[in-house]
PDB file of all heavy atoms in Angstrom:
ATOM      1  N   GLY A  17    -141.083-155.502  38.452  1.00 96.00           N
ATOM      2  CA  GLY A  17    -141.880-155.417  37.242  1.00 96.00           C
ATOM      3  C   GLY A  17    -141.786-154.073  36.552  1.00 96.00           C
ATOM      4  O   GLY A  17    -142.217-153.929  35.398  1.00 96.00           O
ATOM      5  N   ARG A  18    -141.257-153.073  37.237  1.00 97.00           N
ATOM      6  CA  ARG A  18    -141.138-151.731  36.634  1.00 97.00           C
ATOM      7  C   ARG A  18    -139.689-151.289  36.488  1.00 97.00           C
ATOM      8  O   ARG A  18    -139.353-150.550  35.561  1.00 97.00           O
ATOM      9  CB  ARG A  18    -141.893-150.703  37.483  1.00 97.00           C
ATOM     10  CG  ARG A  18    -143.381-150.981  37.624  1.00 97.00           C
ATOM     11  CD  ARG A  18    -144.088-149.826  38.324  1.00 97.00           C
ATOM     12  NE  ARG A  18    -143.571-149.618  39.674  1.00 97.00           N
ATOM     13  CZ  ARG A  18    -143.026-148.473  40.105  1.00 97.00           C
ATOM     14  NH1 ARG A  18    -142.916-147.452  39.278  1.00 97.00           N
ATOM     15  NH2 ARG A  18    -142.603-148.362  41.357  1.00 97.00           N
ATOM     16  N   PHE A  19    -138.837-151.716  37.378  1.00 98.00           N
ATOM     17  CA  PHE A  19    -137.431-151.332  37.357  1.00 98.00           C
ATOM     18  C   PHE A  19    -136.574-152.536  36.954  1.00 98.00           C
ATOM     19  O   PHE A  19    -136.861-153.671  37.361  1.00 98.00           O
ATOM     20  CB  PHE A  19    -136.976-150.857  38.729  1.00 98.00           C
ATOM     21  CG  PHE A  19    -137.553-149.540  39.169  1.00 98.00           C
ATOM     22  CD1 PHE A  19    -138.593-148.936  38.485  1.00 98.00           C
ATOM     23  CD2 PHE A  19    -137.025-148.900  40.284  1.00 98.00           C
ATOM     24  CE1 PHE A  19    -139.123-147.723  38.900  1.00 98.00           C
ATOM     25  CE2 PHE A  19    -137.533-147.682  40.717  1.00 98.00           C
ATOM     26  CZ  PHE A  19    -138.588-147.103  40.030  1.00 98.00           C
ATOM     27  N   THR A  20    -135.533-152.250  36.184  1.00 97.00           N
ATOM     28  CA  THR A  20    -134.590-153.291  35.785  1.00 97.00           C
ATOM     29  C   THR A  20    -133.179-152.815  36.069  1.00 97.00           C
ATOM     30  O   THR A  20    -132.762-151.763  35.574  1.00 97.00           O
ATOM     31  CB  THR A  20    -134.726-153.625  34.295  1.00 97.00           C
ATOM     32  OG1 THR A  20    -136.063-154.032  34.016  1.00 97.00           O
ATOM     33  CG2 THR A  20    -133.765-154.748  33.913  1.00 97.00           C
ATOM     34  N   ALA A  21    -132.471-153.581  36.877  1.00 96.00           N
ATOM     35  CA  ALA A  21    -131.080-153.264  37.197  1.00 96.00           C
ATOM     36  C   ALA A  21    -130.160-154.101  36.325  1.00 96.00           C
ATOM     37  O   ALA A  21    -130.465-155.259  36.021  1.00 96.00           O
ATOM     38  CB  ALA A  21    -130.810-153.539  38.670  1.00 96.00           C
ATOM     39  N   SER A  22    -129.062-153.507  35.933  1.00 93.00           N
ATOM     40  CA  SER A  22    -128.078-154.243  35.135  1.00 93.00           C
ATOM     41  C   SER A  22    -126.695-153.690  35.453  1.00 93.00           C
ATOM     42  O   SER A  22    -126.564-152.636  36.071  1.00 93.00           O
ATOM     43  CB  SER A  22    -128.387-154.121  33.638  1.00 93.00           C
ATOM     44  OG  SER A  22    -128.339-152.776  33.224  1.00 93.00           O
ATOM     45  N   ARG A  23    -125.690-154.420  35.020  1.00 90.00           N
ATOM     46  CA  ARG A  23    -124.333-153.966  35.275  1.00 90.00           C
ATOM     47  C   ARG A  23    -123.427-154.343  34.124  1.00 90.00           C
ATOM     48  O   ARG A  23    -123.632-155.356  33.454  1.00 90.00           O
ATOM     49  CB  ARG A  23    -123.792-154.505  36.606  1.00 90.00           C
ATOM     50  CG  ARG A  23    -123.739-156.012  36.730  1.00 90.00           C
ATOM     51  CD  ARG A  23    -123.351-156.408  38.165  1.00 90.00           C
ATOM     52  NE  ARG A  23    -121.940-156.118  38.435  1.00 90.00           N
ATOM     53  CZ  ARG A  23    -121.400-156.123  39.642  1.00 90.00           C
ATOM     54  NH1 ARG A  23    -122.140-156.401  40.707  1.00 90.00           N
ATOM     55  NH2 ARG A  23    -120.121-155.882  39.804  1.00 90.00           N
ATOM     56  N   ASP A  24    -122.426-153.500  33.926  1.00 89.00           N
ATOM     57  CA  ASP A  24    -121.383-153.754  32.931  1.00 89.00           C
ATOM     58  C   ASP A  24    -120.083-153.838  33.713  1.00 89.00           C
ATOM     59  O   ASP A  24    -119.497-152.815  34.083  1.00 89.00           O
ATOM     60  CB  ASP A  24    -121.362-152.616  31.902  1.00 89.00           C
ATOM     61  CG  ASP A  24    -120.357-152.866  30.791  1.00 89.00           C
ATOM     62  OD1 ASP A  24    -119.382-153.614  31.013  1.00 89.00           O
ATOM     63  OD2 ASP A  24    -120.517-152.301  29.711  1.00 89.00           O
ATOM     64  N   ASN A  25    -119.645-155.059  33.979  1.00 86.00           N
ATOM     65  CA  ASN A  25    -118.466-155.243  34.822  1.00 86.00           C
ATOM     66  C   ASN A  25    -117.204-154.649  34.192  1.00 86.00           C
ATOM     67  O   ASN A  25    -116.324-154.166  34.901  1.00 86.00           O
ATOM     68  CB  ASN A  25    -118.258-156.729  35.113  1.00 86.00           C
ATOM     69  CG  ASN A  25    -119.336-157.292  36.017  1.00 86.00           C
ATOM     70  OD1 ASN A  25    -119.908-156.591  36.845  1.00 86.00           O
ATOM     71  ND2 ASN A  25    -119.645-158.570  35.860  1.00 86.00           N
ATOM     72  N   ALA A  26    -117.132-154.679  32.891  1.00 87.00           N
ATOM     73  CA  ALA A  26    -115.952-154.138  32.217  1.00 87.00           C
ATOM     74  C   ALA A  26    -115.837-152.634  32.419  1.00 87.00           C
ATOM     75  O   ALA A  26    -114.734-152.082  32.424  1.00 87.00           O
ATOM     76  CB  ALA A  26    -116.012-154.466  30.733  1.00 87.00           C
ATOM     77  N   LYS A  27    -116.978-151.990  32.600  1.00 89.00           N
ATOM     78  CA  LYS A  27    -116.987-150.535  32.780  1.00 89.00           C
ATOM     79  C   LYS A  27    -117.211-150.139  34.235  1.00 89.00           C
ATOM     80  O   LYS A  27    -117.303-148.942  34.532  1.00 89.00           O
ATOM     81  CB  LYS A  27    -118.095-149.915  31.918  1.00 89.00           C
ATOM     82  CG  LYS A  27    -117.896-150.087  30.427  1.00 89.00           C
ATOM     83  CD  LYS A  27    -119.017-149.413  29.649  1.00 89.00           C
ATOM     84  CE  LYS A  27    -118.810-149.562  28.149  1.00 89.00           C
ATOM     85  NZ  LYS A  27    -119.913-148.925  27.372  1.00 89.00           N
ATOM     86  N   ASN A  28    -117.307-151.134  35.127  1.00 88.00           N
ATOM     87  CA  ASN A  28    -117.595-150.847  36.551  1.00 88.00           C
ATOM     88  C   ASN A  28    -118.803-149.929  36.684  1.00 88.00           C
ATOM     89  O   ASN A  28    -118.811-148.981  37.466  1.00 88.00           O
ATOM     90  CB  ASN A  28    -116.379-150.215  37.239  1.00 88.00           C
ATOM     91  CG  ASN A  28    -115.246-151.196  37.426  1.00 88.00           C
ATOM     92  OD1 ASN A  28    -115.470-152.393  37.625  1.00 88.00           O
ATOM     93  ND2 ASN A  28    -114.030-150.714  37.353  1.00 88.00           N
ATOM     94  N   THR A  29    -119.814-150.223  35.925  1.00 91.00           N
ATOM     95  CA  THR A  29    -121.002-149.372  35.874  1.00 91.00           C
ATOM     96  C   THR A  29    -122.250-150.202  36.105  1.00 91.00           C
ATOM     97  O   THR A  29    -122.359-151.324  35.607  1.00 91.00           O
ATOM     98  CB  THR A  29    -121.099-148.670  34.509  1.00 91.00           C
ATOM     99  OG1 THR A  29    -119.930-147.896  34.285  1.00 91.00           O
ATOM    100  CG2 THR A  29    -122.319-147.744  34.447  1.00 91.00           C
ATOM    101  N   VAL A  30    -123.170-149.639  36.865  1.00 93.00           N
ATOM    102  CA  VAL A  30    -124.475-150.255  37.043  1.00 93.00           C
ATOM    103  C   VAL A  30    -125.539-149.287  36.554  1.00 93.00           C
ATOM    104  O   VAL A  30    -125.334-148.069  36.557  1.00 93.00           O
ATOM    105  CB  VAL A  30    -124.755-150.655  38.507  1.00 93.00           C
ATOM    106  CG1 VAL A  30    -123.799-151.757  38.951  1.00 93.00           C
ATOM    107  CG2 VAL A  30    -124.667-149.454  39.431  1.00 93.00           C
ATOM    108  N   TYR A  31    -126.646-149.857  36.130  1.00 96.00           N
ATOM    109  CA  TYR A  31    -127.731-149.062  35.579  1.00 96.00           C
ATOM    110  C   TYR A  31    -129.040-149.419  36.280  1.00 96.00           C
ATOM    111  O   TYR A  31    -129.198-150.508  36.818  1.00 96.00           O
ATOM    112  CB  TYR A  31    -127.881-149.341  34.081  1.00 96.00           C
ATOM    113  CG  TYR A  31    -126.628-149.126  33.290  1.00 96.00           C
ATOM    114  CD1 TYR A  31    -125.771-150.190  32.992  1.00 96.00           C
ATOM    115  CD2 TYR A  31    -126.271-147.866  32.833  1.00 96.00           C
ATOM    116  CE1 TYR A  31    -124.606-150.006  32.266  1.00 96.00           C
ATOM    117  CE2 TYR A  31    -125.115-147.663  32.097  1.00 96.00           C
ATOM    118  CZ  TYR A  31    -124.286-148.741  31.822  1.00 96.00           C
ATOM    119  OH  TYR A  31    -123.130-148.540  31.098  1.00 96.00           O
ATOM    120  N   LEU A  32    -129.963-148.475  36.247  1.00 97.00           N
ATOM    121  CA  LEU A  32    -131.303-148.746  36.742  1.00 97.00           C
ATOM    122  C   LEU A  32    -132.279-148.165  35.726  1.00 97.00           C
ATOM    123  O   LEU A  32    -132.410-146.948  35.589  1.00 97.00           O
ATOM    124  CB  LEU A  32    -131.525-148.124  38.124  1.00 97.00           C
ATOM    125  CG  LEU A  32    -132.851-148.477  38.776  1.00 97.00           C
ATOM    126  CD1 LEU A  32    -132.894-149.976  39.123  1.00 97.00           C
ATOM    127  CD2 LEU A  32    -133.082-147.642  40.035  1.00 97.00           C
ATOM    128  N   GLU A  33    -132.925-149.052  35.000  1.00 98.00           N
ATOM    129  CA  GLU A  33    -133.929-148.654  34.022  1.00 98.00           C
ATOM    130  C   GLU A  33    -135.280-148.620  34.728  1.00 98.00           C
ATOM    131  O   GLU A  33    -135.722-149.634  35.280  1.00 98.00           O
ATOM    132  CB  GLU A  33    -133.964-149.666  32.873  1.00 98.00           C
ATOM    133  CG  GLU A  33    -134.722-149.200  31.653  1.00 98.00           C
ATOM    134  CD  GLU A  33    -133.894-148.245  30.795  1.00 98.00           C
ATOM    135  OE1 GLU A  33    -132.688-148.454  30.644  1.00 98.00           O
ATOM    136  OE2 GLU A  33    -134.490-147.282  30.270  1.00 98.00           O
ATOM    137  N   MET A  34    -135.927-147.459  34.712  1.00 98.00           N
ATOM    138  CA  MET A  34    -137.178-147.292  35.440  1.00 98.00           C
ATOM    139  C   MET A  34    -138.286-146.928  34.453  1.00 98.00           C
ATOM    140  O   MET A  34    -138.151-145.945  33.701  1.00 98.00           O
ATOM    141  CB  MET A  34    -137.039-146.187  36.497  1.00 98.00           C
ATOM    142  CG  MET A  34    -135.859-146.402  37.431  1.00 98.00           C
ATOM    143  SD  MET A  34    -135.745-145.151  38.739  1.00 98.00           S
ATOM    144  CE  MET A  34    -135.339-143.704  37.760  1.00 98.00           C
ATOM    145  N   ILE A  35    -139.345-147.675  34.463  1.00 98.00           N
ATOM    146  CA  ILE A  35    -140.499-147.383  33.596  1.00 98.00           C
ATOM    147  C   ILE A  35    -141.749-147.279  34.468  1.00 98.00           C
ATOM    148  O   ILE A  35    -141.729-147.634  35.643  1.00 98.00           O
ATOM    149  CB  ILE A  35    -140.693-148.463  32.513  1.00 98.00           C
ATOM    150  CG1 ILE A  35    -141.047-149.810  33.153  1.00 98.00           C
ATOM    151  CG2 ILE A  35    -139.452-148.587  31.640  1.00 98.00           C
ATOM    152  CD1 ILE A  35    -141.492-150.856  32.133  1.00 98.00           C
ATOM    153  N   SER A  36    -142.824-146.792  33.848  1.00 98.00           N
ATOM    154  CA  SER A  36    -144.107-146.646  34.555  1.00 98.00           C
ATOM    155  C   SER A  36    -143.913-145.942  35.895  1.00 98.00           C
ATOM    156  O   SER A  36    -144.433-146.388  36.925  1.00 98.00           O
ATOM    157  CB  SER A  36    -144.755-148.030  34.759  1.00 98.00           C
ATOM    158  OG  SER A  36    -144.969-148.677  33.533  1.00 98.00           O
ATOM    159  N   LEU A  37    -143.179-144.870  35.873  1.00 98.00           N
ATOM    160  CA  LEU A  37    -142.854-144.176  37.125  1.00 98.00           C
ATOM    161  C   LEU A  37    -144.106-143.570  37.753  1.00 98.00           C
ATOM    162  O   LEU A  37    -145.018-143.103  37.068  1.00 98.00           O
ATOM    163  CB  LEU A  37    -141.811-143.105  36.866  1.00 98.00           C
ATOM    164  CG  LEU A  37    -140.385-143.652  36.694  1.00 98.00           C
ATOM    165  CD1 LEU A  37    -139.474-142.642  36.032  1.00 98.00           C
ATOM    166  CD2 LEU A  37    -139.817-144.080  38.046  1.00 98.00           C
ATOM    167  N   LYS A  38    -144.108-143.592  39.077  1.00 97.00           N
ATOM    168  CA  LYS A  38    -145.224-143.080  39.867  1.00 97.00           C
ATOM    169  C   LYS A  38    -144.731-141.948  40.767  1.00 97.00           C
ATOM    170  O   LYS A  38    -143.540-141.885  41.094  1.00 97.00           O
ATOM    171  CB  LYS A  38    -145.781-144.200  40.751  1.00 97.00           C
ATOM    172  CG  LYS A  38    -146.158-145.465  40.013  1.00 97.00           C
ATOM    173  CD  LYS A  38    -146.553-146.562  40.998  1.00 97.00           C
ATOM    174  CE  LYS A  38    -146.888-147.861  40.291  1.00 97.00           C
ATOM    175  NZ  LYS A  38    -147.246-148.937  41.250  1.00 97.00           N
ATOM    176  N   PRO A  39    -145.620-141.083  41.188  1.00 97.00           N
ATOM    177  CA  PRO A  39    -145.187-140.017  42.109  1.00 97.00           C
ATOM    178  C   PRO A  39    -144.487-140.558  43.349  1.00 97.00           C
ATOM    179  O   PRO A  39    -143.558-139.916  43.860  1.00 97.00           O
ATOM    180  CB  PRO A  39    -146.512-139.323  42.471  1.00 97.00           C
ATOM    181  CG  PRO A  39    -147.368-139.538  41.272  1.00 97.00           C
ATOM    182  CD  PRO A  39    -147.019-140.915  40.774  1.00 97.00           C
ATOM    183  N   GLU A  40    -144.883-141.730  43.807  1.00 96.00           N
ATOM    184  CA  GLU A  40    -144.246-142.302  45.003  1.00 96.00           C
ATOM    185  C   GLU A  40    -142.832-142.826  44.739  1.00 96.00           C
ATOM    186  O   GLU A  40    -142.131-143.242  45.667  1.00 96.00           O
ATOM    187  CB  GLU A  40    -145.105-143.431  45.597  1.00 96.00           C
ATOM    188  CG  GLU A  40    -145.558-144.488  44.619  1.00 96.00           C
ATOM    189  CD  GLU A  40    -146.969-144.217  44.081  1.00 96.00           C
ATOM    190  OE1 GLU A  40    -147.277-143.044  43.766  1.00 96.00           O
ATOM    191  OE2 GLU A  40    -147.735-145.193  43.966  1.00 96.00           O
ATOM    192  N   ASP A  41    -142.398-142.788  43.477  1.00 98.00           N
ATOM    193  CA  ASP A  41    -141.008-143.124  43.170  1.00 98.00           C
ATOM    194  C   ASP A  41    -140.084-141.919  43.361  1.00 98.00           C
ATOM    195  O   ASP A  41    -138.858-142.045  43.229  1.00 98.00           O
ATOM    196  CB  ASP A  41    -140.883-143.619  41.723  1.00 98.00           C
ATOM    197  CG  ASP A  41    -141.589-144.941  41.494  1.00 98.00           C
ATOM    198  OD1 ASP A  41    -141.475-145.838  42.346  1.00 98.00           O
ATOM    199  OD2 ASP A  41    -142.251-145.082  40.436  1.00 98.00           O
ATOM    200  N   THR A  42    -140.665-140.774  43.642  1.00 98.00           N
ATOM    201  CA  THR A  42    -139.867-139.570  43.884  1.00 98.00           C
ATOM    202  C   THR A  42    -138.941-139.787  45.070  1.00 98.00           C
ATOM    203  O   THR A  42    -139.396-140.143  46.174  1.00 98.00           O
ATOM    204  CB  THR A  42    -140.782-138.362  44.145  1.00 98.00           C
ATOM    205  OG1 THR A  42    -141.526-138.086  42.946  1.00 98.00           O
ATOM    206  CG2 THR A  42    -139.972-137.146  44.542  1.00 98.00           C
ATOM    207  N   ALA A  43    -137.648-139.583  44.860  1.00 98.00           N
ATOM    208  CA  ALA A  43    -136.658-139.840  45.902  1.00 98.00           C
ATOM    209  C   ALA A  43    -135.273-139.470  45.379  1.00 98.00           C
ATOM    210  O   ALA A  43    -135.092-139.232  44.178  1.00 98.00           O
ATOM    211  CB  ALA A  43    -136.672-141.320  46.307  1.00 98.00           C
ATOM    212  N   VAL A  44    -134.330-139.461  46.284  1.00 98.00           N
ATOM    213  CA  VAL A  44    -132.920-139.431  45.889  1.00 98.00           C
ATOM    214  C   VAL A  44    -132.470-140.884  45.786  1.00 98.00           C
ATOM    215  O   VAL A  44    -132.669-141.672  46.716  1.00 98.00           O
ATOM    216  CB  VAL A  44    -132.063-138.667  46.901  1.00 98.00           C
ATOM    217  CG1 VAL A  44    -130.588-138.724  46.488  1.00 98.00           C
ATOM    218  CG2 VAL A  44    -132.532-137.225  47.005  1.00 98.00           C
ATOM    219  N   TYR A  45    -131.909-141.224  44.653  1.00 98.00           N
ATOM    220  CA  TYR A  45    -131.466-142.597  44.390  1.00 98.00           C
ATOM    221  C   TYR A  45    -129.953-142.687  44.595  1.00 98.00           C
ATOM    222  O   TYR A  45    -129.193-141.902  44.020  1.00 98.00           O
ATOM    223  CB  TYR A  45    -131.853-143.003  42.976  1.00 98.00           C
ATOM    224  CG  TYR A  45    -133.323-143.311  42.844  1.00 98.00           C
ATOM    225  CD1 TYR A  45    -134.270-142.286  42.906  1.00 98.00           C
ATOM    226  CD2 TYR A  45    -133.777-144.614  42.690  1.00 98.00           C
ATOM    227  CE1 TYR A  45    -135.636-142.566  42.825  1.00 98.00           C
ATOM    228  CE2 TYR A  45    -135.121-144.903  42.598  1.00 98.00           C
ATOM    229  CZ  TYR A  45    -136.049-143.871  42.662  1.00 98.00           C
ATOM    230  OH  TYR A  45    -137.403-144.144  42.580  1.00 98.00           O
ATOM    231  N   TYR A  46    -129.560-143.670  45.398  1.00 98.00           N
ATOM    232  CA  TYR A  46    -128.159-143.841  45.754  1.00 98.00           C
ATOM    233  C   TYR A  46    -127.626-145.160  45.206  1.00 98.00           C
ATOM    234  O   TYR A  46    -128.314-146.189  45.231  1.00 98.00           O
ATOM    235  CB  TYR A  46    -127.991-143.851  47.268  1.00 98.00           C
ATOM    236  CG  TYR A  46    -128.360-142.564  47.943  1.00 98.00           C
ATOM    237  CD1 TYR A  46    -129.645-142.358  48.431  1.00 98.00           C
ATOM    238  CD2 TYR A  46    -127.414-141.551  48.115  1.00 98.00           C
ATOM    239  CE1 TYR A  46    -129.986-141.176  49.068  1.00 98.00           C
ATOM    240  CE2 TYR A  46    -127.746-140.368  48.750  1.00 98.00           C
ATOM    241  CZ  TYR A  46    -129.032-140.181  49.216  1.00 98.00           C
ATOM    242  OH  TYR A  46    -129.371-139.009  49.844  1.00 98.00           O
ATOM    243  N   CYS A  47    -126.400-145.113  44.780  1.00 97.00           N
ATOM    244  CA  CYS A  47    -125.678-146.302  44.349  1.00 97.00           C
ATOM    245  C   CYS A  47    -124.855-146.807  45.543  1.00 97.00           C
ATOM    246  O   CYS A  47    -124.299-146.012  46.308  1.00 97.00           O
ATOM    247  CB  CYS A  47    -124.766-145.928  43.185  1.00 97.00           C
ATOM    248  SG  CYS A  47    -123.764-147.248  42.519  1.00 97.00           S
ATOM    249  N   ARG A  48    -124.783-148.118  45.683  1.00 96.00           N
ATOM    250  CA  ARG A  48    -124.034-148.732  46.778  1.00 96.00           C
ATOM    251  C   ARG A  48    -123.130-149.814  46.229  1.00 96.00           C
ATOM    252  O   ARG A  48    -123.507-150.571  45.329  1.00 96.00           O
ATOM    253  CB  ARG A  48    -125.003-149.348  47.788  1.00 96.00           C
ATOM    254  CG  ARG A  48    -124.345-149.990  48.997  1.00 96.00           C
ATOM    255  CD  ARG A  48    -125.376-150.722  49.840  1.00 96.00           C
ATOM    256  NE  ARG A  48    -124.818-151.166  51.103  1.00 96.00           N
ATOM    257  CZ  ARG A  48    -125.469-151.960  51.952  1.00 96.00           C
ATOM    258  NH1 ARG A  48    -126.690-152.387  51.665  1.00 96.00           N
ATOM    259  NH2 ARG A  48    -124.895-152.325  53.083  1.00 96.00           N
ATOM    260  N   LEU A  49    -121.923-149.901  46.809  1.00 94.00           N
ATOM    261  CA  LEU A  49    -120.969-150.953  46.453  1.00 94.00           C
ATOM    262  C   LEU A  49    -120.491-151.630  47.730  1.00 94.00           C
ATOM    263  O   LEU A  49    -120.071-150.952  48.667  1.00 94.00           O
ATOM    264  CB  LEU A  49    -119.772-150.355  45.704  1.00 94.00           C
ATOM    265  CG  LEU A  49    -118.558-151.276  45.520  1.00 94.00           C
ATOM    266  CD1 LEU A  49    -118.879-152.420  44.573  1.00 94.00           C
ATOM    267  CD2 LEU A  49    -117.354-150.489  45.008  1.00 94.00           C
ATOM    268  N   ILE A  50    -120.578-152.944  47.742  1.00 92.00           N
ATOM    269  CA  ILE A  50    -120.047-153.729  48.850  1.00 92.00           C
ATOM    270  C   ILE A  50    -118.943-154.603  48.290  1.00 92.00           C
ATOM    271  O   ILE A  50    -119.174-155.433  47.401  1.00 92.00           O
ATOM    272  CB  ILE A  50    -121.131-154.602  49.495  1.00 92.00           C
ATOM    273  CG1 ILE A  50    -122.308-153.742  49.958  1.00 92.00           C
ATOM    274  CG2 ILE A  50    -120.548-155.380  50.669  1.00 92.00           C
ATOM    275  CD1 ILE A  50    -123.507-154.547  50.391  1.00 92.00           C
ATOM    276  N   VAL A  51    -117.736-154.392  48.784  1.00 90.00           N
ATOM    277  CA  VAL A  51    -116.594-155.151  48.274  1.00 90.00           C
ATOM    278  C   VAL A  51    -115.618-155.399  49.407  1.00 90.00           C
ATOM    279  O   VAL A  51    -115.273-154.475  50.164  1.00 90.00           O
ATOM    280  CB  VAL A  51    -115.920-154.415  47.090  1.00 90.00           C
ATOM    281  CG1 VAL A  51    -115.466-153.019  47.466  1.00 90.00           C
ATOM    282  CG2 VAL A  51    -114.785-155.232  46.512  1.00 90.00           C
ATOM    283  N   ARG A  52    -115.223-156.651  49.545  1.00 88.00           N
ATOM    284  CA  ARG A  52    -114.264-157.063  50.585  1.00 88.00           C
ATOM    285  C   ARG A  52    -114.667-156.538  51.957  1.00 88.00           C
ATOM    286  O   ARG A  52    -113.824-156.022  52.709  1.00 88.00           O
ATOM    287  CB  ARG A  52    -112.852-156.613  50.220  1.00 88.00           C
ATOM    288  CG  ARG A  52    -112.338-157.351  48.993  1.00 88.00           C
ATOM    289  CD  ARG A  52    -110.857-157.259  48.861  1.00 88.00           C
ATOM    290  NE  ARG A  52    -110.366-158.152  47.813  1.00 88.00           N
ATOM    291  CZ  ARG A  52    -109.085-158.368  47.555  1.00 88.00           C
ATOM    292  NH1 ARG A  52    -108.162-157.765  48.256  1.00 88.00           N
ATOM    293  NH2 ARG A  52    -108.725-159.182  46.581  1.00 88.00           N
ATOM    294  N   GLY A  53    -115.937-156.654  52.272  1.00 89.00           N
ATOM    295  CA  GLY A  53    -116.431-156.297  53.585  1.00 89.00           C
ATOM    296  C   GLY A  53    -116.597-154.806  53.823  1.00 89.00           C
ATOM    297  O   GLY A  53    -116.964-154.387  54.923  1.00 89.00           O
ATOM    298  N   LYS A  54    -116.341-153.999  52.813  1.00 91.00           N
ATOM    299  CA  LYS A  54    -116.481-152.553  52.965  1.00 91.00           C
ATOM    300  C   LYS A  54    -117.681-152.056  52.149  1.00 91.00           C
ATOM    301  O   LYS A  54    -118.028-152.625  51.127  1.00 91.00           O
ATOM    302  CB  LYS A  54    -115.208-151.841  52.526  1.00 91.00           C
ATOM    303  CG  LYS A  54    -114.015-152.146  53.418  1.00 91.00           C
ATOM    304  CD  LYS A  54    -112.819-151.284  53.067  1.00 91.00           C
ATOM    305  CE  LYS A  54    -111.669-151.557  54.024  1.00 91.00           C
ATOM    306  NZ  LYS A  54    -110.477-150.715  53.712  1.00 91.00           N
TER     307      LYS A  54
END
């Protein structure tokens, strides 16, 4: 309800739109890719 993930396959890019941020959202955010078992 607060975060929206999206991707642009043509650009091999993913996005994370974050609204209504709270102090407990403080963190290091990591991107992950799973492809062909790796």
Side-chain angles (χ1 to χ4, degrees):
R18 300 187 299 121
F19 290 11
T20 302
S22 61
R23 59 187 288 167
D24 184 335
N25 291 331
K27 296 181 179 179
N28 290 327
T29 302
V30 294
Y31 305 96
L32 186 67
E33 194 79 39
M34 306 183 292
I35 65 170
S36 301
L37 283 162
K38 306 174 182 179
E40 50 264 42
D41 294 317
T42 295
V44 177
Y45 285 71
Y46 296 92
C47 179
R48 181 187 189 188
L49 168 68
I50 304 170
V51 57
R52 293 198 171 186
K54 294 188 177 180

